[in-house]
Amino acid sequence: MPSKHIEVKTFKLAHSTSDTVKIQHVEKPYGKYSSPVVSIAIYSEGSEKTSEIEIPYENIEEFFKALNESVALSDSIPRSEIHAELSAPIGGGA
């Protein structure tokens, strides 16, 4: 039986004009007897997958903990308002 992807949520990637993040539940990702995973993928221009990570459900709590630690670290670093120097809601690279 092939793997089955069930879409959970798709949303626009911040600081991008057309990239999206797609989160899916994947049944039997590596064959008949494999355990399900969560797939987090970035799509460029809405259709071309540019990156993907699959997290086994057994690692989800640790993954959430690491994400929360990352947010706390980011929040603790002082910085100016995003793209304030451009006077625009999105920015570009140099």
Side-chain angles (χ1 to χ4, degrees):
M1 176 180 199
S3 65
K4 180 179 179 182
H5 291 68
I6 301 168
E7 188 168 333
V8 176
K9 185 165 187 150
T10 298
F11 54 92
K12 185 181 172 301
L13 186 63
H15 314 294
S16 166
T17 56
S18 61
D19 293 351
T20 58
V21 177
K22 184 182 285 189
I23 300 178
Q24 297 179 319
H25 168 86
V26 184
E27 282 290 322
K28 301 180 185 352
Y30 312 112
K32 185 176 180 179
Y33 301 106
S34 62
S35 296
V37 298
V38 173
S39 166
I40 303 168
I42 306 293
Y43 286 82
S44 177
E45 303 296 326
S47 60
E48 181 183 342
K49 188 186 306 183
T50 59
S51 62
E52 179 179 23
I53 183 170
E54 294 179 338
I55 307 291
Y57 280 96
E58 293 83 0
N59 295 114
I60 285 291
E61 289 302 318
E62 192 67 21
F63 183 73
F64 288 156
K65 181 179 175 187
L67 288 177
N68 286 325
E69 289 172 6
S70 180
V71 168
L73 174 63
S74 179
D75 290 347
S76 73
I77 299 170
R79 54 178 68 84
S80 60
E81 187 177 325
I82 296 175
H83 309 302
E85 73 280 2
L86 301 175
S87 297
I90 62 172

